[in-house]
Amino acid sequence: MARFDAYFLMKPADAAAYAKEKLAYFDREADLQFTEIGDGNLNYIFRIVDARGRRSLVIKQAGHTARISDEFKLSLDRNRIEYDILKLERELAPGLVPEVYGFDPVMNCCAMEDLSDHLIMRQALLERREYPLFAEHITTFMVNTLLLTSDAVLDHKRKKALVGSFINPDLCEITEDLVYTEPFNDVKLRNLPFGPNLEFIKRELYEDEALLLESAKLKFDFLTHAQCLVHGDLHTGSIFVRPDSTKVIDPEFAFYGPAGYDVGNVVANLIFAWVNADTTMPAGRAREAFSGYLARTLEEVVDLFISKWRRLWDEKVTETVARYRGFAAWYLDGVLEDTAGVTGLELCRRIVGIAHVKDITSIAEPARRLRAERLCLSLAKRCIRERASLKTGRDYLELLKWAAGNYPRGEA
Ligand code: SR1
Ligand code: MG
């Protein structure tokens, strides 16, 4: 029996052997270097390099459980979903996703372009690097992948076939629990709130019945609204950046859901970066410049998303009734309302739930972290409650200003 004819979880050396034996990518004699570079919550990522031949690739393999905790038992099918979605997204949004070289349904791994000339955006923003083209790139990615997979554009039978191919129950369940349910309930074994904020979280989230009701409405939107093929996990850890390039990775949570799920994730994670800069950078020009850059990016993401969506809608919509007067505006309004709701949910869950973000956890001084978390949670509540009225980039900037005003830094 050949070595890779039955599934097992590879070690880096296995991945290099796999690359030689199963992928016609490296010379048989190549002297390969290999490392595991994954820092996500779910999978194993191997980088294989032939330094002499100047070739490299990445192999991503799915395990039966999540890296973050064995408690999450996950279908290996997520690797097939990821591979198929990356191919589809490359067609819809050329240049904005990595190239994929192959998928192996036995080993449940896929091989793809090595993006090590890019940086993971969350880390890059923590290093205070700026990406002036990011808003332009990410809005093209979102508008193309979302609108062009919706019933407004696609033949409805083709759309239903895609819904069928991308049924993703295990990963959707993670989102249903981690994003929509647990942050609003005192789930002792799963939530990981920062101790000094326990009382605040109890009062402001667990005991706020009006907020619970809104989170329930949003959960049912996520469960039932098969609107577009969403990426499903579009935070700044799923985006590689270079000043001249943006690549979206990790679409294993993809399924047919509300378009605003993706846009809200991008907005919320820019807010985390902004809150980190606002909380940890010393007062002065550098902070003004960097938080100004992040605020501008946030504003551009929302406003460019809207203008590009409208433009592409006019060009591409095929459904007759979607051309009725007023329909386009009603549809986009719904996407923006979901965007605001999801922004609020993502802000809550990364603070209260099991999957935190470094933008917040790296804030070493307890008083500063306390402030950063409260700022995010109070913003989150307004995004959820007032989601029907958040319609422009400026609306989000007003909220940032309001939240920062409510929690002064206490500097002299
Ligand atoms: C158990 S997985 C936790 C989180 O990591 C992924 O990146 C998703 O964001 C998920 O919610
Ligand atoms: Mg991921």
Side-chain angles (χ1 to χ4, degrees):
M1 191 169 88
R3 237 182 112 187
F4 300 102
D5 280 359
Y7 174 80
F8 69 97
L9 208 49
M10 292 190 281
K11 297 268 181 273
D14 300 316
Y18 177 93
K20 261 196 191 168
E21 288 170 36
K22 301 285 279 188
L23 307 169
Y25 191 80
F26 297 110
D27 286 345
R28 284 265 155 188
E29 300 70 40
D31 180 17
L32 298 183
Q33 288 146 15
F34 39 83
T35 35
E36 206 280 321
I37 54 168
D39 65 351
N41 294 326
L42 297 183
N43 304 295
Y44 301 86
I45 321 285
F46 305 100
R47 179 164 183 254
I48 320 287
V49 181
D50 170 9
R52 184 127 35 94
R54 294 170 182 235
R55 279 168 87 69
S56 61
L57 58 66
V58 160
I59 295 176
K60 177 167 183 176
Q61 189 182 32
H64 288 286
T65 56
R67 272 180 99 143
I68 191 175
S69 155
D70 283 351
E71 220 193 293
F72 297 97
K73 315 266 180 268
L74 301 171
S75 155
L76 298 174
D77 190 42
R78 67 186 189 275
N79 202 259
R80 190 267 313 166
I81 290 184
E82 170 150 4
Y83 175 72
D84 286 346
I85 294 278
L86 283 172
K87 278 193 305 180
L88 184 59
E89 286 175 347
R90 248 177 103 75
E91 284 168 27
L92 297 169
L96 297 171
V97 285
E99 189 177 347
V100 277
Y101 303 138
F103 164 65
D104 179 338
V106 173
M107 292 300 291
N108 288 291
C109 64
C110 57
M112 65 184 89
E113 184 180 356
D114 175 21
L115 293 172
S116 41
D117 56 341
H118 291 62
L119 296 172
I120 282 291
M121 187 170 187
R122 189 181 308 286
Q123 185 56 34
L125 295 181
L126 287 172
E127 291 167 14
R128 314 304 180 207
R129 298 171 191 267
E130 297 188 15
Y131 297 90
L133 295 178
F134 170 73
E136 184 65 42
H137 290 161
I138 201 68
T139 49
T140 297
F141 174 84
M142 292 193 293
V143 169
N144 289 13
T145 57
L146 297 170
L147 181 50
L148 298 181
T149 58
S150 74
D151 277 304
V153 174
L154 270 193
D155 166 75
H156 303 326
K157 285 188 178 156
R158 162 88 178 123
K159 184 253 181 171
K160 287 179 178 68
L162 287 175
V163 173
S165 314
F166 298 115
I167 294 282
N168 198 350
D170 286 354
L171 296 219
C172 282
E173 184 183 47
I174 291 184
T175 305
E176 289 150 24
D177 292 344
L178 268 52
V179 178
Y180 289 88
T181 309
E182 293 174 8
F184 305 96
N185 290 279
D186 196 354
V187 192
K188 295 241 161 33
L189 292 176
R190 282 270 277 264
N191 283 349
L192 295 171
F194 177 53
N197 256 336
L198 264 180
E199 276 311 306
F200 183 88
I201 289 167
K202 188 164 171 279
R203 186 180 72 240
E204 294 295 326
L205 301 192
Y206 304 156
E207 291 175 358
D208 184 340
E209 284 198 12
L211 186 72
L212 294 187
L213 174 60
E214 296 314 311
S215 73
K217 293 178 192 168
L218 286 162
K219 182 171 182 178
F220 270 70
D221 191 44
F222 183 82
L223 287 165
T224 59
H225 196 183
Q227 183 177 37
C228 302
L229 190 51
V230 300
H231 175 284
D233 200 24
L234 197 48
H235 56 85
T236 45
S238 297
I239 302 171
F240 269 112
V241 279
R242 226 174 43 188
D244 61 339
S245 164
T246 302
K247 304 270 187 192
V248 174
I249 59 164
D250 268 8
E252 66 202 314
F253 281 78
F255 81 114
Y256 257 86
Y261 194 77
D262 283 353
V263 194
N265 264 277
V266 172
V267 171
N269 282 276
L270 286 172
I271 293 177
F272 283 131
W274 183 88
V275 170
N276 178 287
D278 186 70
T279 307
T280 62
M281 291 179 79
R285 296 246 298 269
R287 182 171 75 198
E288 293 310 309
F290 194 67
S291 47
Y293 154 72
L294 288 170
R296 249 185 344 270
T297 303
L298 168 54
E299 186 178 21
E300 278 172 21
V301 164
V302 175
D303 292 343
L304 283 174
F305 176 81
I306 295 170
S307 57
K308 289 184 187 180
W309 179 282
R310 287 187 179 133
R311 208 174 317 131
L312 201 65
W313 182 283
D314 288 342
E315 260 174 51
K316 297 282 187 191
V317 162
T318 60
E319 165 57 57
T320 310
V321 307
R323 295 254 175 222
Y324 292 171
R325 191 191 303 275
F327 185 85
W330 171 82
Y331 193 102
L332 178 56
D333 249 27
V335 173
L336 296 174
E337 181 168 339
D338 289 342
T339 295
V342 171
T343 298
L345 293 164
E346 172 76 359
L347 286 170
C348 290
R349 74 95 164 210
R350 296 290 188 186
I351 285 174
V352 179
I354 191 176
H356 290 190
V357 285
K358 206 171 162 195
D359 316 50
I360 301 300
T361 56
S362 65
I363 302 173
E365 203 183 300
R368 288 182 192 236
R369 177 158 171 189
L370 194 90
R371 170 195 183 253
E373 292 198 355
R374 291 184 180 185
L375 208 155
C376 290
L377 293 175
S378 54
L379 256 175
K381 290 183 67 162
R382 286 200 60 190
C383 287
I384 293 172
R385 282 199 306 239
E386 297 167 35
R387 62 189 180 279
S389 57
L390 293 174
K391 296 289 183 232
T392 63
R394 178 140 293 278
D395 291 340
Y396 285 91
L397 295 193
E398 291 297 329
L399 274 191
L400 285 189
K401 221 188 284 165
W402 167 84
N406 266 357
Y407 294 100
R409 287 187 212 93
E411 285 160 358

